[in-house]
Amino acid sequence: MLPWKRLLRPLVAALLTAAVVLVPAVTAEAAAPSSGWNDYSCKPSSAHPRPVVLVHGTLANSVDNWLTLAPYLQSRGYCVFSLDYGQLPGVPVFYGLGPIATSAEQLGTFVDKVIAATGAPEVDLVGHSQGGMMPRYYLKFLGGAAKVNSLVGIAPDNHGTTLSGLTSLLPYFPGAQDLISRSTPGLADQVAGSAFLAKLNEGGDTVPGVHYTVIATKYDEVVTPYTSQFLSGSDVRNVLLQNLCAVDLSEHVVIGLFDRIAFHEVANALDPAHATPTTCASAFS
């Protein structure tokens, strides 16, 4: 039998590989293009009075996660902002690896900056993967509910993930869980059954005053099972993409990066008074 350390290496590699699929391309630096979003002179319109803050996923950053959705929302008249969070010392470009509670504090600081710059009393949050779950800590424990109107989660790991069952193998590899917790606490926090998730979901998934939307795909291979993404609460809309367009084959990455059918649902969630039906044809809207 191979020594446990030799078995540990491929397991950790598999966990990281499953997370790294969130990164479509390595950008030169994690800052929005000067001609794009994060324009602090942008003033919200009467039609769209709240700025939108985009919250990237694990191992992504404020640019690569939003190269399609940010312009999509800008073209519809929104002031759009995005942040980097969860950086580990000495690790550039790839973010969302630090402790999620600390990342939530960073989100709170950024929301305050956006509110101060735009003069808006509240923002709307749109997040992909960890970015759809992490803000719930900000809303529940850091006073964010008073500053946020809605949270839209695209493939969020609200109740953790088994990474298609890989996490169930951790107890068979002595030291594996401790290694992941020390090296990448942001990943450890997302494992189904973690202490972080137990605290986050204790007493209910939602807080009063915030509108929640979850957009999931049944082909998600990272946040598994996909049904764990859905929230329970009085002001929650859970959307399965394939119920809107049965032939949409988007998995975890594509739903957040390129899927305009999902983006149409994001737009509906941000402006429910003017929502229009989402269908396969929304891919061309």
Side-chain angles (χ1 to χ4, degrees):
M1 180 177 295
L2 293 173
W4 70 265
K5 288 185 178 180
R6 293 180 62 186
L7 292 173
L8 173 61
R9 283 196 294 269
L11 175 64
V12 174
L15 290 170
L16 292 174
T17 298
V20 81
V21 296
L22 293 175
V23 185
V26 176
T27 53
E29 58 181 277
S34 58
S35 60
W37 60 101
N38 277 356
D39 177 3
Y40 287 91
S41 66
C42 185
K43 297 301 179 183
S45 66
S46 58
H48 300 303
R50 293 177 300 275
V52 178
V53 174
L54 303 177
V55 190
H56 64 72
T58 307
L59 285 170
N61 60 53
S62 61
V63 176
D64 64 24
N65 216 142
W66 308 120
L67 289 173
T68 306
L69 181 57
Y72 179 96
L73 294 175
Q74 280 186 296
S75 70
R76 284 156 176 76
Y78 289 93
C79 292
V80 180
F81 300 85
S82 64
L83 77 155
D84 290 317
Y85 69 85
Q87 183 179 21
L88 293 179
V91 181
V93 180
F94 301 101
Y95 299 98
L97 294 172
I100 296 181
T102 302
S103 295
E105 294 175 1
Q106 295 168 1
L107 173 61
T109 299
F110 188 80
V111 167
D112 288 345
K113 180 180 179 181
V114 170
I115 287 176
T118 61
E122 292 181 311
V123 303
D124 289 318
L125 302 178
V126 178
H128 180 209
S129 195
Q130 180 189 163
M133 173 271 289
M134 176 269 280
R136 293 179 48 227
Y137 191 94
Y138 166 59
L139 298 176
K140 193 169 187 177
F141 299 110
L142 303 177
K147 303 173 184 179
V148 174
N149 173 72
S150 62
L151 169 62
V152 184
I154 305 172
D157 51 346
N158 281 314
H159 300 96
T161 177
T162 67
L163 285 175
S164 297
L166 282 175
T167 57
S168 64
L169 298 176
L170 288 174
Y172 296 97
F173 296 87
Q177 188 125 16
D178 289 342
L179 175 61
I180 295 171
S181 298
R182 290 195 308 271
S183 303
T184 53
L187 289 181
D189 285 345
Q190 295 177 75
V191 174
S194 71
F196 171 83
L197 288 168
K199 177 179 179 180
L200 177 64
N201 293 312
E202 184 179 9
D205 292 346
T206 63
V207 295
V210 179
H211 310 291
Y212 295 83
T213 300
V214 174
I215 306 170
T217 171
K218 69 180 182 180
Y219 299 113
D220 198 313
E221 78 287 19
V222 175
V223 181
T224 56
Y226 75 85
T227 52
S228 68
Q229 300 173 27
F230 294 142
L231 296 171
S232 298
S234 59
D235 198 350
V236 172
R237 184 166 184 261
N238 292 314
V239 179
L240 182 63
L241 202 57
Q242 285 71 34
N243 287 341
L244 306 176
C245 177
V247 297
D248 192 319
L249 301 179
S250 291
E251 42 68 71
H252 187 80
V253 176
V254 173
I255 190 177
L257 271 61
F258 309 115
D259 193 319
R260 293 175 70 92
I261 297 172
F263 295 174
H264 190 270
E265 273 301 288
V266 171
N268 281 346
L270 295 175
D271 188 8
H274 298 96
T276 57
T278 300
T279 66
C280 295
S282 301
F284 307 101
S285 63

